[in-house]
Amino acid sequence: MSAPSVTRSDVEVARERLDEVVVRTPLQYCERWSTALGATVLLKREDQQPVRSYKIRGALNVISQLSETERAAGVVAASAGNHAQGVALACADLGVHARIYLPTNTPRQKRDRVAAFGKGFVELVVGGESYDDAAAAAKLDAERTGATLVPAFDNPQVVAGQGTVIAEVVDELKGAPDVVLVPVGGGGLLAGTIAALGDSPTRIIGVEPAGAASLVAALAAGAPVTLDELDAFADGTAVRRIGDVTFPIIAAASPEVVTVDEGALCVEMLALYQTEGIIAEPSGALASAALAQLEVEPGQTVVVVVSGGNNDVSRYADVVERALVYEGRKHYFMVEFSQEPGALRRFLDDVLGPDDDISLFEYVKRNNREFGPALVGIELGSAEDYEPLLKRMDASPLRIEHLPPDSPLFGFVL
């Protein structure tokens, strides 16, 4: 049995249903990326929804169509956090009770906001290591209780609701843009984008985190497959398996699909904050991070969906660290010092350059040993300072070992 399709007409019907409830988010000109690409880059600010992501659209499109009997039975949902907030807000507005399953890696900030949006209509159930674990638990709940399951992405009405993001873009621009980039988790937004654009010649690009590339795997296999390993850093798009409803829609349209490394995501998160003043979670920066690997024709209009904005500010220290490592400006070394006065001074004078800074120094003196190891983190003024640093290290009598980012020991510092 083939999966149901979603058309432009379905998206338009959803838009009429949601128009008075969902915020019509702005298209913001991005000078930074426009200058870099020689194009007009516009950010579709879905982080300005009340729930800080487009997920309210699909959730509300499903829940608002429930019968009185179905509303009385309640709903269940699973989410990494953003869909949960959309369901919670929709349920509070419509007076429908919900149980929402969240994986244990859902940031505390997202859990708290789900509870706040639910206003007493929502019960949170936290368990499982990933979104897929939570989704399995929610499905069993629906089967056991008769509540309506509101999927995060794998449902035609959810897809139609998410498609209203791009329908708004087309309306504001008075036509389809030349290029559209959207983040991909389970594929609901990408499938909705394809439906909304119909037969438009727009270049559609789906962007996945490199550590959770379920769409790339599905396209290679010709059908949805389950990833053996999953990096949950971009928790909003960390999905082990692309949707059974969304995949056929995506595969039939053959959009471009690219992946973004974790470090590049962190670099873009910081750039969005420092330049555009946008607080984006990793998945929120996913689509714009892909612009660094994109080539477009001069003067083209490029629309990038920014969603979501549910980032815990306590994560920024980790984000800065990962960005510096990715850019080649932060390195870690094991240095064996002789346990005598002046050893550290000689290291500073002979090895460090004028713009190099020690960001970490972990050392325990052992009185019964001639040498002692130290873990040293060095932040460089620029990535170009790395090779001169290595040459000075080679010339030093000290025994120094570089810790590459793929080393198991690197997990202690990052």
Side-chain angles (χ1 to χ4, degrees), residues 161-229:
Q162 317 304 37
T164 62
V165 174
I166 303 304
E168 286 182 4
V169 170
V170 173
D171 183 53
E172 184 163 345
L173 295 178
K174 304 294 191 294
D178 299 302
V179 185
V180 169
L181 291 91
V182 301
V184 177
L189 178 60
L190 179 56
T193 296
I194 291 167
L197 290 172
D199 57 2
S200 163
T202 299
R203 179 184 174 190
I204 302 173
I205 303 172
V207 187
E208 290 189 292
S214 61
L215 177 54
V216 170
L219 290 171
V225 295
T226 302
L227 299 178
D228 294 329
E229 296 182 1

Side-chain angles (χ1 to χ4, degrees), residues 60-136:
L60 190 59
N61 196 41
V62 173
I63 297 171
S64 63
Q65 297 183 71
L66 297 180
S67 67
E68 289 301 320
T69 301
E70 289 170 327
R71 291 189 184 195
V75 302
V76 294
S79 171
N82 289 335
H83 175 59
Q85 293 180 52
V87 171
L89 181 59
C91 285
D93 285 348
L94 298 172
V96 178
H97 287 273
R99 280 181 303 283
I100 301 179
Y101 290 78
L102 301 172
T104 54
N105 64 3
T106 303
R108 171 62 60 182
Q109 185 262 5
K110 288 188 178 181
R111 298 186 201 180
D112 292 344
R113 284 181 61 81
V114 173
F117 280 124
K119 296 178 181 177
F121 286 92
V122 171
E123 173 190 352
L124 296 184
V125 183
V126 180
E129 296 181 355
S130 68
Y131 162 78
D132 302 86
D133 295 334

Side-chain angles (χ1 to χ4, degrees), residues 48-62:
Q48 293 191 4
Q49 291 291 347
V51 297
R52 300 179 186 169
S53 84
Y54 64 86
K55 292 289 189 174
I56 180 62
R57 297 172 182 268
L60 190 59
N61 196 41
V62 173

